[in-house]
Amino acid sequence: MGEAKGKSGPSARRPDNSAFKQQRLPAWSPMLTANTVLPFFYFMGPFCVLLSPFDSPLSFQLDYTKAGSCDECFEMRKNVSKAALNCFCKVEFRIEKAFKVTNAPLKQLRGDVFFYYGLQNFHQNLRRYMDSRDDGQMVGRTTNLKNPSTYCEPFIKDQKGLPIAPCGAVANSVFNDSFTLSYHGGSSGPAVPVPLLRQGITWYTDKNIKYRNPKDGNMTLAQVFQGTAQPRYWQKPAYELDPRDPANNGFINDDLIVWMREAAFPNFKKLYGVLYRAKKPFIKGLPAGNYSVDVSYNFPVQHFRGRKQVVLTTVTWFGGQNHFLPIAYLITSCLTLLVAVVLTVAWCKFGKNGRNMEE
């Protein structure tokens, strides 16, 4: 039992006689007048127009699911037993308008022309799918390498009982098509390979913090992965993903890291490469003309009724292609200017003191 309060009755619940509880603190209440409100509206209207970009980025999309000679590979990938067999196809297309880089200096060889691959009707945002991974394994913990988390079920062990590295449905379904883009000029001339930078396409935090390769003394990466199995639908183990660059293997492979960042919507695109503007005719971007893309067709889309795309795009100071924000800024600007005009008319009619409102 606590001690009884010294006061009783109605005055016992009265707040203390302090400036805070009696609401006597100094305060400032803005006086909204026409001289202060109207300039704000007239300023925000043109400002929203300036935020809306007038130069939209260029974009080209090519659906190669069954285009060109890829229809044979499409039919071949229907048979799961042929998943390990290679299939190559070629698709030709034309770019009518050059993808010029206007906001990047010539000394910067990494131009703002991006090569994406796109998927439609592939739901990476399913809760069960997103949880099917072992972050401890991907960060390079040797204990998790051979003892994956149960979240990876049923992609945790192979038929021989060996632990899968990397485990889980996300890594098992990694996009494994590869592309070679070629330029043929204004006519069907000799093909010039379009140089694409395949490194540096990930977030810095993903490449250097979130994903690490396991280490065990002076052992090589292949020796560290010994005793593990590759995912069920992979054609190579993790330590042989990029034979041309030993530093791009294992859990720090750029393509793997890009895929492991799940998309929020079923229709998405992911970065595959960036144009390398080192030699002509690609110093100022992608010139107009005929192109072809050679595809190593490996990723099946029949089972989820999906489509595959190749996307070429540029960026502006506003970012990539986005139709919503420019339209939203234009509508906001128009509404702001309309409200400003209405307030101005009302202010001129009724006067500063509102004396005409009494009528």
Side-chain angles (χ1 to χ4, degrees), residues 271-340:
L271 186 59
Y272 182 81
V274 183
L275 177 65
Y276 184 60
R277 302 185 300 114
K279 298 180 180 180
K280 294 182 179 180
F282 310 109
I283 295 179
K284 295 184 179 180
L286 285 180
N290 298 322
Y291 288 82
S292 66
V293 57
D294 294 280
V295 184
S296 177
Y297 203 107
N298 301 311
F299 193 84
V301 295
Q302 296 87 349
H303 305 291
F304 57 91
R305 298 179 181 179
R307 309 289 297 182
K308 297 193 290 186
Q309 293 178 333
V310 166
V311 182
L312 295 171
T313 182
T314 60
V315 297
T316 63
W317 68 269
F318 200 74
Q321 189 176 20
N322 191 326
H323 299 291
F324 171 77
L325 288 180
I327 295 175
Y329 278 123
L330 288 176
I331 293 177
T332 303
S333 175
C334 295
L335 292 178
T336 303
L337 292 176
L338 178 62
V339 171

Side-chain angles (χ1 to χ4, degrees), residues 78-135:
K78 289 182 179 180
N79 192 343
V80 181
S81 62
K82 299 181 180 180
L85 300 179
N86 295 323
C87 188
F88 301 94
C89 59
K90 184 176 183 179
V91 181
E92 297 180 352
F93 60 94
R94 179 175 177 82
I95 294 181
E96 299 295 340
K97 187 176 181 179
F99 282 44
K100 292 184 178 180
V101 179
T102 57
N103 57 345
L106 293 179
K107 294 182 180 179
Q108 181 182 342
L109 299 181
R110 184 185 175 92
D112 294 331
V113 180
F114 300 93
F115 187 103
Y116 292 87
Y117 63 86
L119 283 177
Q120 293 185 0
N121 203 33
F122 190 95
H123 295 264
Q124 273 196 316
N125 57 352
L126 295 177
R127 180 65 178 272
R128 183 75 180 273
Y129 177 87
M130 297 178 66
D131 289 342
S132 184
R133 57 191 296 168
D134 188 351
D135 291 329

Side-chain angles (χ1 to χ4, degrees), residues 183-185 187-192:
Y183 173 62
H184 299 275
S187 59
S188 57
V192 179

Side-chain angles (χ1 to χ4, degrees), residues 12 45 54 61 71 80 91 112 127-128 134 143 182 186 189 198 203 207-208 220 227 232 249 279 294 299 321 348:
F54 295 98
Q61 296 184 1
D71 55 346
V80 181
V91 181
D112 294 331
R127 180 65 178 272
R128 183 75 180 273
D134 188 351
T143 55
S182 301
R198 299 280 288 110
W203 292 17
K207 184 73 173 181
N208 299 277
T220 63
R232 186 178 304 173
N249 285 309
K279 298 180 180 180
D294 294 280
F299 193 84
Q321 189 176 20
C348 294

Side-chain angles (χ1 to χ4, degrees), residues 157-171:
K157 293 184 179 180
D158 66 351
Q159 298 178 351
K160 299 180 180 179
L162 295 176
I164 295 177
C167 68
V170 184

Side-chain angles (χ1 to χ4, degrees), residues 43 63 67 171-172 241 260 284 319 348:
F43 170 77
D63 190 323
N172 184 75
L241 292 177
M260 294 296 289
K284 295 184 179 180
C348 294

Side-chain angles (χ1 to χ4, degrees), residues 47-286:
F47 181 73
C48 291
V49 174
L50 294 177
L51 288 179
S52 178
F54 295 98
D55 295 333
S56 59
L58 298 175
S59 180
F60 176 84
Q61 296 184 1
L62 173 67
D63 190 323
Y64 71 95
T65 310
K66 294 191 290 184
S69 59
C70 292
D71 55 346
E72 298 178 2
C73 295
F74 178 83
E75 297 296 331
M76 177 181 176
R77 292 300 174 219
K78 289 182 179 180
N79 192 343
V80 181
S81 62
K82 299 181 180 180
L85 300 179
N86 295 323
C87 188
F88 301 94
C89 59
K90 184 176 183 179
V91 181
E92 297 180 352
F93 60 94
R94 179 175 177 82
I95 294 181
E96 299 295 340
K97 187 176 181 179
F99 282 44
K100 292 184 178 180
V101 179
T102 57
N103 57 345
L106 293 179
K107 294 182 180 179
Q108 181 182 342
L109 299 181
R110 184 185 175 92
D112 294 331
V113 180
F114 300 93
F115 187 103
Y116 292 87
Y117 63 86
L119 283 177
Q120 293 185 0
N121 203 33
F122 190 95
H123 295 264
Q124 273 196 316
N125 57 352
L126 295 177
R127 180 65 178 272
R128 183 75 180 273
Y129 177 87
M130 297 178 66
D131 289 342
S132 184
R133 57 191 296 168
D134 188 351
D135 291 329
Q137 188 185 64
M138 301 299 293
V139 83
R141 297 175 184 172
T142 54
T143 55
N144 293 70
L145 181 64
K146 298 183 179 180
N147 296 282
S149 171
T150 55
Y151 283 102
C152 292
E153 290 286 358
F155 305 101
I156 187 173
K157 293 184 179 180
D158 66 351
Q159 298 178 351
K160 299 180 180 179
L162 295 176
I164 295 177
C167 68
V170 184
N172 184 75
S173 61
V174 66
F175 187 85
N176 55 354
D177 282 6
S178 59
F179 309 93
T180 301
L181 186 63
S182 301
Y183 173 62
H184 299 275
S187 59
S188 57
V192 179
V194 179
L196 294 177
L197 288 175
R198 299 280 288 110
Q199 298 179 2
I201 60 176
T202 61
W203 292 17
Y204 175 84
T205 52
D206 288 350
K207 184 73 173 181
N208 299 277
I209 299 175
K210 191 174 180 180
Y211 295 92
R212 299 283 185 86
N213 277 332
K215 296 182 180 180
D216 191 357
N218 295 326
M219 298 177 62
T220 63
L221 191 61
Q223 293 174 339
V224 175
F225 274 85
Q226 189 174 4
T228 63
Q230 66 192 51
R232 186 178 304 173
Y233 295 114
W234 282 28
Q235 296 177 340
K236 301 177 182 178
Y239 53 86
E240 293 180 354
L241 292 177
D242 191 353
R244 296 173 295 181
D245 185 7
N248 192 35
N249 285 309
F251 299 149
I252 59 174
N253 178 264
D254 285 357
D255 292 329
L256 176 62
I257 294 176
V258 169
W259 179 260
M260 294 296 289
R261 181 170 287 276
E262 298 93 343
F265 300 100
N267 301 335
F268 59 87
K269 64 178 185 291
K270 291 180 181 287
L271 186 59
Y272 182 81
V274 183
L275 177 65
Y276 184 60
R277 302 185 300 114
K279 298 180 180 180
K280 294 182 179 180
F282 310 109
I283 295 179
K284 295 184 179 180
L286 285 180

